[in-house]
Amino acid sequence: MSQLSRSLLLSAIVVGNAGAQKVLLELRPRVGDTLRMQLQQVTEMSSSAAGAPITTTLRMFSRAIVESAAPIASLILAVTDSVDVTSSDVNARALGAQAEQELEGRQMRLRLWPDGTVTLNDGAGSVPRDVSDLVSVMPASFPSKPVAVGESWVREMPVPSGESLGIPGGSVMRARFRLDSTAAQGDLAYVTMTGTLVPTAKPAGEAVTGSVSGTMVVNRRRGWLSESHFLLLLKSTVAQKDKANAALRFSVKVTQSMKVLSLPRPQRR
């Protein structure tokens, strides 16, 4: 075998091994860490029965303080520092002001599992229902085993029912996640996801479709997300019982972005 052939073969082996290298995706923040986060969410709602679409924007700054860590889960003290809600609708502005009062300065303890599952550590009665509902639909995102770049996995996320939007109870969002790439010697993992709404019940006269897409950057050395971006689209048609051949059509678009602010440089474990 010539020297050139040997070099090409060696290069192919090295590249093949690098491509097959697997990484474990999990959230395991360190005790004592304080992570400061900025969340922005824009919700656009429209219906065939209303005029102009209603746009509501939520901006929130919060902290996640890691109080304890164990192999099964971490205990997080979540503190909402500030909340700002604006809306193009008068009624929504009133609800936004109420949400600001309820959430700003609130503290609650959460259990964070390595696979991304989040549950309330405190009783559900100690937090507003909207917050409780939000936490209850934050299931596992990450696989239990290491994955290689290019591998994908499927998760199902429950979707809260919304009678006004025609979303039947028990619906799930079936999402496919994929490890797209890694960087910084594997410390950063870039994950994408796409999903579709799967109604488990189809009431007569109702039709619902939905999709979700997004990206996440996992800081594996920190054991936390660096940032995430998601787009949720829902469309529904609800037949009106008192009007023949008439139906209400709703559409919802939710754009959400989260990023961690000024993370201190972590030390290697």
Side-chain angles (χ1 to χ4, degrees):
M1 182 182 294
S2 67
Q3 184 63 36
L4 177 59
S5 298
R6 290 175 180 174
S7 298
L8 292 176
L9 179 59
L10 179 60
S11 298
I13 293 174
V14 171
V15 172
N17 288 339
Q21 184 178 1
K22 296 189 175 186
V23 296
L24 184 61
L25 301 176
E26 58 181 10
L27 301 184
R28 288 189 182 276
R30 293 189 305 227
V31 176
D33 278 1
T34 297
L35 301 116
R36 301 178 184 275
M37 294 169 289
Q38 177 183 350
L39 174 72
Q40 177 167 304
Q41 179 173 296
V42 179
T43 303
E44 302 171 64
M45 301 179 61
S46 61
S47 74
S48 58
I54 298 174
T55 301
T56 303
T57 302
L58 165 71
R59 295 183 182 86
M60 181 170 67
F61 289 88
S62 62
R63 286 171 288 152
I65 303 169
V66 186
E67 295 188 325
S68 65
I72 188 173
S74 300
L75 180 63
I76 308 293
L77 175 63
V79 182
T80 303
D81 292 320
S82 65
V83 180
D84 179 45
V85 182
T86 58
S87 179
S88 60
D89 179 71
V90 174
N91 295 327
R93 284 199 292 269
L95 294 174
Q98 181 181 350
E100 291 177 4
Q101 293 179 351
E102 290 182 348
L103 294 176
E104 198 161 286
R106 178 172 291 276
Q107 299 183 9
M108 59 180 176
R109 284 181 171 81
L110 306 173
R111 288 285 177 184
L112 173 67
W113 269 253
D115 63 7
T117 302
V118 178
T119 59
L120 286 169
N121 187 71
D122 303 327
S126 63
V127 298
R129 180 176 178 179
D130 290 346
V131 177
S132 177
D133 289 345
L134 175 63
V135 172
S136 69
V137 295
M138 296 177 68
S141 297
F142 303 122
S144 59
K145 298 179 180 180
V147 292
V149 171
E151 282 193 62
S152 61
W153 60 96
V154 176
R155 291 287 182 267
E156 290 190 348
M157 308 175 182
V159 178
S161 62
E163 295 181 0
S164 61
L165 301 178
I167 303 175
S171 299
V172 298
M173 189 70 74
R174 183 169 295 153
R176 179 176 295 277
F177 294 80
R178 182 180 187 272
L179 176 60
D180 274 359
S181 62
T182 60
Q185 298 180 341
D187 285 343
L188 298 179
Y190 295 84
V191 177
T192 56
M193 64 93 75
T194 57
T196 56
L197 182 71
V198 181
T200 55
K202 296 182 179 180
E206 297 185 13
V208 185
T209 60
S211 65
V212 63
S213 60
T215 61
M216 294 183 289
V217 181
V218 184
N219 188 324
R220 297 181 59 244
R221 193 192 302 184
R222 173 63 62 184
W224 198 262
L225 292 179
S226 293
E227 60 181 278
S228 63
H229 305 274
F230 295 102
L231 173 63
L232 173 66
L233 299 173
L234 291 173
K235 293 184 178 181
S236 61
T237 302
V238 182
Q240 293 182 280
K241 298 179 180 179
D242 56 339
K243 297 181 180 179
N245 300 322
L248 290 176
R249 292 181 296 277
F250 299 90
S251 66
V252 181
K253 177 182 178 181
V254 180
T255 307
Q256 185 188 92
S257 297
M258 184 282 297
K259 62 179 179 180
V260 175
L261 305 174
S262 61
L263 272 176
R265 183 180 297 276
Q267 300 296 320
R268 286 194 177 274
R269 299 185 182 182

